[in-house]
């Protein structure tokens, strides 16, 4: 390479000889978005328990050190994952007349996003979100609750309770689904078998479980999810009436 700067610049812009070999294609640069994409790919295929920095690096065809130029640690990756899912959530304009339905709809969206990726809601549990998309969703939910006339302190704690339940609900569903796919899943009972076992319990020791076996095992789809969210929301409105 010429020592003179002008000669070096001229050499860089000089036309390559016709018989020169083409330059090797450059690798796609590692970015936070590509890391998030790869992490979601791992979770979708193998479940959240399989997610490690090393596993994500392998999907990207690089080493773990390349990822640490863009993320701090596994917790930081979790924040990116939940932020990506929250980016898919559509938030309505808060409406005092329909705020209950709006809350149920937003949390159903969050639930469905979690269920797409087995166990991923674990990344949202016991963490303080910093991703702007995650904060956008919590801001939107808080706005809906306040529009419904809920006192700010009650609304803040309701936001936490509803979010925690949604994450736990999705995690349980994901774990059951994963266990049913394993060969040693016999202990995961279907409703009919569970109903039979409850009904066969000694009546003197388990009178209520035996008598109400059908109620204890009832519910299809997301019936129990809707029940619990409505239970929380009903209590919010009762609390609002008592404090006014």
């Amino acid at each position: 390479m010429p020592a003179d700067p002008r000669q070096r610049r001229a050499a860089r812009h000089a036309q390559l000889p016709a018989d020169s070999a083409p330059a090797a294609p450059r690798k796609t640069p590692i970015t936070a978005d590509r890391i998030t994409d790869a992490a979601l790919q791992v979770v979708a295929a193998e479940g959240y328990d399989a997610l490690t920095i090393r596993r994500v690096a392998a999907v990207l065809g690089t080493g773990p050190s390349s990822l640490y130029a863009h993320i701090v640690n596994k917790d930081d990756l979790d924040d990116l994952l939940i932020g990506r899912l929250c980016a898919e959530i559509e938030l309505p304009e808060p409406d005092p007349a329909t705020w209950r339905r709006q809350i149920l709809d937003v949390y159903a969206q969050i639930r469905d996003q979690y269920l797409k990726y087995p166990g991923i809601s674990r990344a949202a549990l016991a963490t303080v979100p910093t991703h702007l998309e995650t904060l956008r969703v919590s801001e939107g939910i808080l706005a809906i609750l306040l529009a419904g006339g809920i006192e700010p302190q009650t609304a803040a704690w309701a936001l936490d309770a509803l979010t925690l339940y949604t994450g736990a609900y999705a995690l349980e569903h994901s774990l059951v689904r994963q266990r049913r796919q394993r060969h040693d899943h016999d202990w995961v009972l279907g409703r009919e078998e569970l109903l039979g076992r409850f009904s066969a319990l000694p009546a003197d020791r388990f009178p209520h479980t035996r008598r109400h076996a059908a109620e204890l095992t009832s519910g299809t789809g997301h019936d129990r999810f809707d029940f619990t969210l409505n239970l929380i929301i009903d209590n919010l409105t009762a609390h609002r009436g008592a404090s006014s």
Side-chain angles (χ1 to χ4, degrees):
M1 178 67 69
D4 183 87
R6 288 173 297 179
Q7 292 179 335
R8 290 204 302 271
R9 184 175 185 277
R12 285 201 305 270
H13 291 282
Q15 185 175 358
L16 292 175
D19 59 350
S20 295
R26 295 181 60 186
K27 288 186 176 181
T28 305
I30 302 296
T31 63
D33 279 342
R34 289 193 65 214
I35 292 171
T36 306
D37 290 340
L40 287 175
Q41 180 180 331
V42 172
V43 178
E46 306 171 41
Y48 180 76
D49 287 345
L51 183 65
T52 63
I53 300 296
R54 187 174 298 278
R55 184 71 187 87
V56 174
V59 171
L60 293 170
T62 187
S65 59
S66 299
L67 274 60
Y68 287 118
H70 305 275
I71 61 173
V72 179
N73 51 28
K74 176 64 163 42
D75 292 337
D76 194 23
L77 179 57
D78 286 344
D79 197 42
L80 286 172
L81 291 176
I82 301 304
R84 173 68 67 82
L85 299 188
C86 283
E88 300 297 322
I89 305 302
E90 296 181 4
L91 295 171
E93 186 67 28
D95 180 6
T98 62
W99 71 274
R100 290 174 58 105
R101 174 46 52 192
Q102 289 181 332
I103 287 291
L104 292 172
D105 176 69
V106 171
Y107 276 105
Q109 290 184 64
I110 297 172
R111 174 202 68 204
D112 292 345
Q113 284 296 317
Y114 286 161
L115 291 177
K116 289 180 182 179
Y117 302 95
I120 201 169
S121 62
R122 185 177 298 168
L125 298 174
T127 61
V128 178
T130 59
H131 197 287
L132 291 181
E133 286 294 342
T134 308
L135 294 173
R136 176 187 69 89
V137 172
S138 63
E139 169 76 13
I141 294 170
L142 185 59
I144 295 171
L145 291 169
L146 294 174
I150 307 303
E151 189 268 335
Q153 181 64 77
T154 303
W157 285 6
L159 167 63
D160 180 62
L162 290 163
T163 302
L164 182 61
Y165 173 74
T166 301
Y169 175 90
L171 180 58
E172 182 189 42
H173 271 245
S174 295
L175 291 174
V176 170
R177 185 171 61 189
Q178 285 179 300
R179 286 165 177 165
R180 281 178 174 162
Q181 294 172 349
R182 298 195 324 227
H183 296 298
D184 58 343
H185 71 282
D186 291 345
W187 69 272
V188 182
L189 304 178
R191 180 176 186 267
E192 291 304 317
E193 186 174 359
L194 191 59
L195 181 61
R197 292 195 181 192
F198 283 174
S199 299
L201 289 170
D204 59 330
R205 295 179 59 194
F206 304 96
H208 300 300
T209 301
R210 177 168 174 161
R211 183 178 305 117
H212 301 293
E215 289 83 357
L216 289 169
T217 59
S218 64
T220 59
H222 297 301
D223 287 348
R224 293 182 179 228
F225 178 84
D226 294 337
F227 168 81
T228 304
L229 260 62
N230 276 298
L231 194 66
I232 296 173
I233 293 171
D234 287 345
N235 189 60
L236 294 180
T237 56
H239 187 276
R240 179 183 59 186
S243 61
S244 59

